[in-house]
Amino acid sequence: MRRITGMAREETLIEMKSAMDSQIGEECNGHSRNNSIEDGGTQLPGHTEERRREFEANLKKAGLELETEDKSDSDDRKTYFLKIHAPWEVLATYADVLKIKVPFKESDIPHGQDVPLEWLSRPFRLPEKVMRPQPDYFTSPFDKDKIDFFLIKNRDTFVPPSTRNRIVYYILSRCPYYKEDRKETDKKGIKRLLNNGTYTSAFPLHDCRYWERNTNEQCESERYHLYKNWAGFLCFYKEQPLNLIRKYYGEKIGIYFAWLGFYTEMLFFAAVMGVICFTYGVLSYDDNLTSKEICDPSIGGSIVMCPLCDKKCSYWKLNSTCLSSWQSHLFDNEGTVFFAMFMGIWVTLFLEFWKRRQAQLEYEWDLVDFEEEQQQLQIRPEFETKCTDQRLNRITQEMEPYLPLPKKCGRFFLSGVTVLFWMLLIVACITGVIVYRLAVYAAFASIMKDSPTKKIHLVGSLITPQLATSVTASFINFVIIMILNFFYERVAIWITDMEIPKTHLEYENKLTMKMFLFQFVNYYSSCFYVAFFKGKFVGYPGNYTYMFGKYSRLRNEECDPGGCLIELTTQLVIVMTGKQVCGNIQEALLPLLRNWWCSRKARKDQYSRWEQDHDLQNFSQLGLFYEYLEMVIQFGFITLFVASFPLAPLLALCNNILEVRVDAWKFTTQFRRPVAAKAHNIGAWQEILNVVAILSVVTNAFIMAFTSDMIPRLVYLYAYHPGSEATMSGYINNSLSVYDISQIPLLSTPEEGAIPAWFNSSFITTCRYRDYRYPPGHQRQYSHTMQFWHILAAKLAFIIIMEHVVFVVKFFVAWLIPDVPSEVKARIKRERYLIQEYLHNYEVEKLKMQLSQSLNPNLRSALTTNKHDVLSECL
């Protein structure tokens, strides 16, 4: 018996049953509806009672059976529960309407061939009954008039739980609550009743408690099996029971966990290569001649650098950046180039192999021909309600609601302006962070000029103005990111609702594009600034570039002599790790605290199961959207800027291993059972991943060329080294230009109190800065040298070569790997062939029986009795 449960809260001023809210749920094989809205008390009780009475009467007319649990049986003595049962006739009728695929013959194709060394994978496997909760069948769209064609062994279990869930919700979302004599088309659907307070929530019930099996042996305990074999943190190394997830929660949630699991598996290979690249940087630590020269007191200690800011900053010695140069070498070495190219190919392999895995799931889960069904049958009730204009559908030749073009253009214009405003707001916030970096650097330099941080044990000597500025700016930027996310999520939902998308798929795609565009700018803009703008427009000591003009005194930032790559690494680690830590705290720790607070309600004898489910968190329609968004943002971090931090895939892998189990734990223990929904792919996220994959090749090529110091080192090694043997000795002196201190403008001259004690103006007449310019006294003094143009040409050549090599390999791999496995193509063709053949035989035998009945009426009763046996034997 199909059940759904609804909840209502009693109005304190009205002592009548109609003043209570209701809710929708399900018992044994049930599923849940996922909206929960508290009654605001603004509606008159009489109106609420009338709406509820008409709605429930129309549900009964639709064939559903209703059962009410009195408030005296509830824990708070205020809540009524309305349970809805869907009998076989209703399920069969709507399975026909929705063209749900059901089995007509057991599959005769084996699951797969034996794999060599299969015993190695046994520790990672789950029991067969968990992995495959039901046999494989050939399926066909259900037709109620040909019910004998299908394999119906037991009507109670013929329709899977997730499909029952979807059917009942389909009825609830379209059932009117107006009287027959008053055709008010906008008054229909459970969503509107939830919004106006007639009911407070509606959801399907779980089939059992997650920690124990169902006491009724006829009811399956799928939630228990999922919790035991999937949600436990000790199962992190086990495969996921995707078929059981799909059976219990529906295809849409199943495809998400399939994608997340596949993405995590592919991250393992990227993480291994990242660790190898990092290990190479560690092992080549002692061979880094550049850092040795910087740290050498006779070389780096004798080089006096020009001030990094006006007035507050003084002259400094190059060996003060000794530590940062060693740190930079860990990530900025020859292995990083190989890793960046590897990640460009890895992204292609990940996307192509996912397409194959997705095609396999589409077939196994009967989603091959789902797209047309999705577009035609999943029209949003809000679209039907708000669009009062009607027009003729050229395909169905029926009148349907539509949004006129002038209204659509006006809504799209307002939506575009709103999105643009928020984009500009993000740019303004990032500009504010940049201004903070410029202003605060001088303050840190002034505070630390007498080295007060040296008094701090262990870490005091490591703190520099550059490090303090970078770390504090990164944390401030992360806080701004989280605040803007909080507000924009609500704005994005509001403007998407305003556009009134026609289908659920269109709604999700529109919201996905808006949210990702915002998140892209929000999360990645600071990394783009450090990677491609910081240190690129500085000028030179006599002609510095200022952010808002010379009188703003905000001089553009410079990079360390070792480059800006280590600062990009710092920015990436703080934002990426901070986002993952905050996400895990929000997803895991907060529900644990909530469980502890509500643990008193776990009494089995006094607290009914539908009340326990009602007190669980509501899983909204956009629940999966946020899960996808979190992973796609992470995907951007490990692809767009991976050249600056090869360990990023390892961090992502560790996070995702935890993420899979945290999400599984939330679904089985913290959330009400969601309404099942179908999806044959990951939707608009697939195209977003493709765009990020292509963009990642470009960004990593530019990072290696312009942010890393690799190209200048190679040009010096092979073209400008003075000796006969190609070595890196002398590179530091070659990469620093000379400036006459007496020519420094008064505006940039350090204050008397800022000049260190070791600086003697009588002996030190020049300072060095990071650039390739002619020295003072040269006929072209302070203009770029020929080496600068050679390095620039080498950088551009490297970008072109790297991009073309990676793109050629990407497109070749994409062409080489077919999107649909040949085995799946064969299965699809065989299933279509069998459907045609079996339907033909079925119609022929049915026609024979009809002719026999018309010719010999005495055989009619016997033929009717044996009709099913004859058809089964024929098939």
Side-chain angles (χ1 to χ4, degrees):
M1 186 69 72
R2 164 76 181 147
R3 296 192 174 191
I4 293 189
T5 300
M7 190 277 297
R9 189 181 61 183
E10 183 178 13
E11 296 275 354
T12 56
L13 299 179
I14 308 295
E15 296 184 2
M16 55 192 305
K17 183 177 179 180
S18 62
M20 298 155 240
D21 303 89
S22 303
Q23 155 186 341
I24 306 180
E26 166 187 3
E27 283 190 14
C28 178
N29 287 322
H31 304 271
S32 37
R33 166 81 187 124
N34 55 337
N35 287 330
S36 177
I37 299 181
E38 293 295 330
D39 186 1
T42 57
Q43 299 290 340
L44 294 176
H47 293 171
T48 302
E49 180 182 3
E50 180 181 354
R51 288 195 297 265
R52 185 183 299 111
R53 184 172 58 250
E54 294 299 330
F55 184 69
E56 294 175 4
N58 288 329
L59 288 179
K60 292 179 180 179
K61 292 179 181 179
L64 299 176
E65 300 173 0
L66 309 184
E67 178 184 353
T68 303
E69 295 286 342
D70 191 80
K71 67 176 182 179
S72 60
D73 297 328
S74 64
D75 185 66
D76 58 3
R77 307 297 187 211
K78 297 179 180 180
T79 303
Y80 282 75
F81 288 85
L82 177 65
K83 294 184 288 188
I84 299 179
H85 309 256
W88 164 255
E89 285 298 323
V90 173
L91 296 175
T93 299
Y94 282 90
D96 190 358
V97 171
L98 297 175
K99 300 302 178 185
I100 293 173
K101 290 187 175 182
V102 296
F104 68 90
K105 182 184 184 300
E106 286 196 27
S107 175
D108 55 4
I109 301 178
H111 295 313
Q113 300 177 353
D114 294 335
V115 180
L117 301 178
E118 186 179 5
W119 57 274
L120 290 175
S121 62
R122 288 177 185 172
F124 307 100
R125 293 184 177 179
L126 291 174
E128 186 67 19
K129 64 178 181 180
V130 177
M131 290 302 299
R132 298 188 179 276
Q134 56 189 13
D136 287 341
Y137 294 99
F138 290 121
T139 59
S140 176
F142 185 76
D143 189 340
K144 193 176 180 181
D145 295 332
K146 301 174 182 177
I147 197 169
D148 295 324
F149 174 73
F150 302 97
L151 292 178
I152 305 178
K153 299 178 181 179
N154 186 343
R155 289 188 172 184
D156 292 335
T157 59
F158 176 68
V159 181
S162 59
T163 304
R164 297 180 178 186
N165 182 326
R166 196 160 59 95
I167 289 174
V168 174
Y169 176 66
Y170 184 87
I171 299 173
L172 292 174
S173 62
R174 287 159 176 77
C175 182
Y177 55 89
Y178 54 79
K179 295 182 179 180
E180 292 184 357
D181 56 340
R182 297 169 57 188
K183 296 295 183 181
E184 301 171 89
T185 57
D186 62 326
K187 291 187 175 182
K188 64 178 180 179
I190 187 65
K191 278 191 176 182
R192 288 182 64 86
L193 294 175
L194 291 168
N195 290 334
N196 61 31
T198 304
Y199 300 95
T200 58
S201 60
F203 57 93
L205 291 179
H206 287 288
D207 61 0
C208 66
R209 296 175 175 87
Y210 65 85
W211 66 86
E212 63 180 358
R213 298 176 185 269
N214 202 312
T215 55
N216 187 349
E217 295 183 357
Q218 296 182 353
C219 294
E220 300 184 54
S221 301
E222 294 175 349
R223 185 190 187 192
Y224 168 78
H225 290 300
L226 287 171
Y227 176 75
K228 180 181 177 181
N229 298 285
W230 178 48
F233 292 100
L234 296 179
C235 300
F236 71 92
Y237 62 93
K238 297 279 189 179
E239 59 184 338
Q240 297 187 84
L242 296 178
N243 289 314
L244 186 58
I245 297 170
R246 173 246 181 171
K247 181 182 177 184
Y248 192 72
Y249 290 112
E251 290 80 2
K252 190 171 185 178
I253 293 177
I255 205 78
Y256 163 72
F257 280 103
W259 177 82
L260 179 59
F262 185 81
Y263 171 46
T264 305
E265 293 171 5
M266 292 294 293
L267 272 177
F268 173 78
F269 303 101
V272 169
M273 293 304 301
V275 171
I276 293 174
C277 178
F278 181 77
T279 304
Y280 172 80
V282 174
L283 295 178
S284 61
Y285 201 73
D286 294 332
D287 299 330
N288 183 15
L289 292 178
T290 302
S291 296
K292 287 182 178 180
E293 288 187 353
I294 292 176
C295 299
D296 190 344
S298 62
I299 301 177
S302 64
I303 297 178
V304 178
M305 303 295 294
C306 298
L308 295 175
C309 64
D310 294 341
K311 294 295 185 181
K312 299 294 182 182
C313 298
S314 181
Y315 305 99
W316 51 285
K317 292 185 178 181
L318 181 61
N319 63 354
S320 63
T321 61
C322 175
L323 180 62
S324 64
S325 68
W326 285 111
Q327 294 171 343
S328 180
H329 175 72
L330 296 176
F331 307 105
D332 188 4
N333 53 68
E334 294 78 4
T336 308
V337 181
F338 167 77
F339 183 66
M341 299 181 70
F342 168 81
M343 287 301 296
I345 300 171
W346 174 87
V347 169
T348 303
L349 291 174
F350 163 63
L351 295 176
E352 292 302 318
F353 282 123
W354 165 245
K355 290 178 184 178
R356 291 172 61 85
R357 177 65 175 140
Q358 187 173 260
Q360 184 178 358
L361 290 175
E362 283 184 26
Y363 170 75
E364 292 178 357
W365 293 356
D366 298 322
L367 300 170
V368 175
D369 301 322
F370 173 67
E371 182 66 26
E372 184 177 356
E373 171 193 339
Q374 174 80 8
Q375 294 294 336
Q376 294 182 358
L377 300 178
Q378 300 296 321
I379 295 179
R380 299 173 65 238
E382 293 85 352
F383 182 84
E384 297 175 332
T385 300
K386 295 180 181 179
C387 297
T388 56
D389 297 286
Q390 299 279 326
R391 69 177 178 184
L392 184 67
N393 188 309
R394 297 181 180 179
I395 300 175
T396 62
Q397 293 299 308
E398 296 179 356
M399 299 299 294
E400 65 175 9
Y402 84 104
L403 188 64
L405 184 60
K407 293 183 180 179
K408 182 181 293 186
C409 292
R411 293 174 184 271
F412 284 172
F413 175 78
L414 180 59
S415 174
V417 170
T418 306
V419 173
L420 180 61
F421 168 77
W422 279 88
M423 296 297 105
L424 295 177
L425 181 61
I426 296 174
V427 174
C429 291
I430 297 302
T431 304
V433 174
I434 296 173
V435 171
Y436 166 84
R437 299 172 70 106
L438 301 180
V440 135
Y441 180 83
F444 278 129
S446 177
I447 294 172
M448 297 178 183
K449 67 177 182 295
D450 297 324
S451 301
T453 57
K454 303 286 185 182
K455 301 177 183 178
I456 304 176
H457 296 290
L458 297 180
V459 299
S461 60
L462 307 180
I463 300 177
T464 62
Q466 294 94 331
L467 179 62
T469 302
S470 178
V471 172
T472 56
S474 297
F475 275 109
I476 292 173
N477 181 66
F478 176 70
V479 173
I480 292 175
I481 286 172
M482 302 307 293
I483 294 174
L484 290 176
N485 276 348
F486 176 80
F487 289 104
Y488 185 76
E489 285 178 3
R490 289 150 181 78
V491 173
I493 294 174
W494 174 74
I495 58 179
T496 306
D497 289 337
M498 180 190 62
E499 293 177 6
I500 319 179
K502 183 177 182 180
T503 65
H504 292 289
L505 180 63
E506 184 181 352
Y507 180 90
E508 291 187 5
N509 289 344
K510 287 178 178 292
L511 182 61
T512 297
M513 298 308 298
K514 292 182 180 65
M515 282 296 296
F516 180 75
L517 180 62
F518 172 82
Q519 299 278 22
F520 184 91
V521 178
N522 198 18
Y523 277 105
Y524 303 143
S525 55
S526 59
C527 293
F528 272 100
Y529 164 73
V530 175
F532 305 124
F533 295 97
K534 182 181 177 182
K536 307 301 185 296
F537 310 99
V538 177
Y540 58 93
N543 186 26
Y544 282 120
T545 304
Y546 293 81
M547 187 171 184
F548 299 112
K550 183 174 294 186
Y551 295 101
S552 68
R553 306 289 295 276
L554 295 174
R555 205 170 90 190
N556 287 351
E557 285 187 283
E558 296 184 43
C559 293
D560 285 337
C564 279
L565 193 70
I566 189 64
E567 188 167 346
L568 176 60
T569 303
T570 303
Q571 180 77 26
L572 180 64
V573 170
I574 290 177
V575 176
M576 178 180 174
T577 306
K579 182 182 185 303
Q580 293 183 165
V581 170
C582 290
N584 290 330
I585 291 175
Q586 183 179 0
E587 292 183 7
L589 293 185
L590 294 182
L592 283 175
L593 293 175
R594 181 178 180 273
N595 284 354
W596 173 79
W597 183 259
C598 301
S599 59
R600 64 179 183 84
K601 289 191 172 184
R603 299 191 302 271
K604 177 180 176 180
D605 54 339
Q606 301 179 9
Y607 196 50
S608 63
R609 186 160 53 80
W610 44 84
E611 289 180 282
Q612 292 182 32
D613 284 5
H614 169 258
D615 285 345
L616 295 176
Q617 297 182 58
N618 171 49
F619 186 77
S620 67
Q621 183 181 354
L622 299 176
L624 279 184
F625 168 81
Y626 294 111
E627 302 293 344
Y628 275 118
L629 182 62
E630 178 185 1
M631 289 296 102
V632 172
I633 293 297
Q634 181 202 86
F635 180 81
F637 278 124
I638 69 166
T639 54
L640 294 174
F641 309 103
V642 74
S644 66
F645 188 48
L647 294 181
L650 179 63
L651 294 182
L653 175 64
C654 297
N655 176 81
N656 287 9
I657 291 174
L658 180 65
E659 181 76 20
V660 172
R661 304 305 161 179
V662 168
D663 286 349
W665 174 76
K666 288 191 306 180
F667 271 93
T668 53
T669 66
Q670 303 301 305
F671 285 139
R672 298 172 184 169
R673 195 172 184 177
V675 175
K678 300 190 78 172
H680 72 293
N681 55 33
I682 61 176
W685 299 111
Q686 182 76 40
E687 295 303 320
I688 290 175
L689 292 175
N690 289 331
V691 173
V692 172
I694 295 175
L695 183 61
S696 67
V697 178
V698 180
T699 56
N700 283 301
F702 272 85
I703 288 173
M704 295 308 303
F706 287 97
T707 309
S708 167
D709 217 29
M710 185 198 65
I711 300 298
R713 291 199 300 263
L714 292 178
V715 171
Y716 173 80
L717 181 65
Y718 294 108
Y720 285 89
H721 186 269
S724 59
E725 183 181 355
T727 65
M728 290 300 297
S729 62
Y731 169 72
I732 288 298
N733 186 63
N734 175 266
S735 64
L736 298 175
S737 299
V738 181
Y739 194 82
D740 188 350
I741 292 178
S742 62
Q743 297 179 1
I744 296 179
L746 183 62
L747 184 66
S748 303
T749 303
E751 297 176 346
E752 286 294 332
I755 298 177
W758 55 262
F759 183 81
N760 189 337
S761 59
S762 300
F763 297 97
I764 303 175
T765 58
T766 60
C767 63
R768 311 294 291 271
Y769 59 98
R770 192 171 186 264
D771 206 343
Y772 294 91
R773 294 180 183 270
Y774 289 108
H778 193 279
Q779 60 180 358
R780 299 180 59 192
Q781 66 176 6
Y782 306 137
S783 62
H784 284 119
T785 64
M786 186 58 65
Q787 186 175 354
F788 170 83
W789 300 109
H790 288 168
I791 292 174
L792 180 60
K795 289 179 178 180
L796 297 177
F798 173 81
I799 292 173
I800 294 173
I801 293 173
M802 179 178 172
E803 286 183 355
H804 280 71
V805 169
V806 176
F807 278 134
V808 167
V809 174
K810 280 172 61 71
F811 292 131
F812 176 74
V813 170
W815 170 81
L816 188 65
I817 302 175
D819 292 346
V820 182
S822 57
E823 181 183 0
V824 173
K825 290 181 180 179
R827 286 176 176 238
I828 294 174
K829 291 179 180 178
R830 174 159 177 76
E831 183 170 295
R832 289 174 176 170
Y833 166 75
L834 288 176
I835 291 175
Q836 294 178 353
E837 182 183 15
Y838 276 54
L839 280 175
H840 172 74
N841 293 340
Y842 175 85
E843 295 293 345
V844 170
E845 293 301 321
K846 188 175 181 180
L847 181 60
K848 288 181 180 179
M849 286 188 291
Q850 292 176 350
L851 292 175
S852 300
Q853 290 180 10
S854 62
L855 294 175
N856 191 354
N858 296 329
L859 296 177
R860 186 171 303 169
S861 60
L863 286 171
T864 302
T865 303
N866 298 325
K867 178 181 178 182
H868 182 72
D869 295 337
V870 171
L871 287 174
S872 299
E873 182 178 356
C874 167
L875 294 176

